Amino acid sequence: MKIISIDKLYDYNYSVDVINAMKQNWKNRCSFSCIGRPKEKNMLLYLYGCKAEYTLPDKSKVYAKSGDIVYTPINYEYSVRFYDFEEDHYTIGVNLFLYDQDNAPFILRDEIIIFNLKSSSCSSLFTKLDKYSETAIKRPSKMKAAMYDILSILSEGMRSKNLHKEKFGVISEGINYLEHNEQQKLSIAEIAKLCNVSEIYFRRLFKEYSGMSPIKFRIKGKIEKAKLYLEYEDMTVCEISDHLGFISPAYFTQQFKSIEGMTPSEYKQTIRKTIE
């Protein structure tokens, strides 16, 4: 099955189908095994107030602690033992399918993953999933929304860790700025200064990271945001240009057309026709 690693999901067009969520207290029945009967769905398991020892097909062991999230893929076999229970303890397991942009299923890895990002947001999102799954009338849209948020947090967290581990770690602050700061007011020289490297070195390393220059990456990102404003907001071309920090509406239109093959106004008309 196709594998798309979790750190690649942050900008990947995928869909998720949440089957169910279940909260369990393991103190009286502290083990589970699917050896000989592989999992038919992906699972994300959140641990609270306990630890887990996973025994893998090759007999090796991996360990998870309270606050960790454990991913097990489709067709995976393992056994797990829960222990070191605190007074308040539980797990919340979520079964799900992941689909790529062509609606083909994929997994995040062909083995177990232990996430220990310590996100309080993830804890509340798993609780919501359990709550939505328990109601008499299922809430699939809310369950999907919560799972997208969880996957986004995990993806961003793993990506941030990888950035700092790899050679691009030295410019990670600049990468995060160019990817997430909407108005982009700092010059490339100022961004390089944030990273304590020369502008020339920053430009070279960033191009190696992204496949394009910082300027081109910045403009492309702004155009993607502009498309969202054109689709979902009642903003004029001038307002979008000003909000995104283009030097003029004419320059914004020029850059938009060079990337999208049409002007912002033409793009908006096309979107409206599609909706109608």
Side-chain angles (χ1 to χ4, degrees), residues 220-233:
K220 190 174 184 298
K222 287 186 176 185
I223 297 304
E224 288 301 313
K225 290 184 177 71
K227 287 164 62 178
L228 293 175
Y229 291 135
L230 290 166
E231 290 178 38
Y232 301 109
E233 302 291 339

Side-chain angles (χ1 to χ4, degrees), residues 1-2 20 27 37 40 57 63 123 131 182 200 211 232:
M1 185 176 292
K2 182 177 182 180
N20 59 13
K27 196 165 187 178
R37 43 191 180 91
E40 297 180 349
Y63 298 87
S123 173
K131 177 183 174 182
E182 187 162 284
I200 293 174
Y232 301 109

Side-chain angles (χ1 to χ4, degrees), residues 242-261:
D242 182 62
H243 180 73
L244 293 176
F246 284 94
I247 58 175
S248 70
Y251 181 69
F252 165 53
T253 298
Q254 176 191 358
Q255 294 299 321
F256 192 99
K257 187 171 183 178
S258 69
I259 293 174
E260 297 298 325

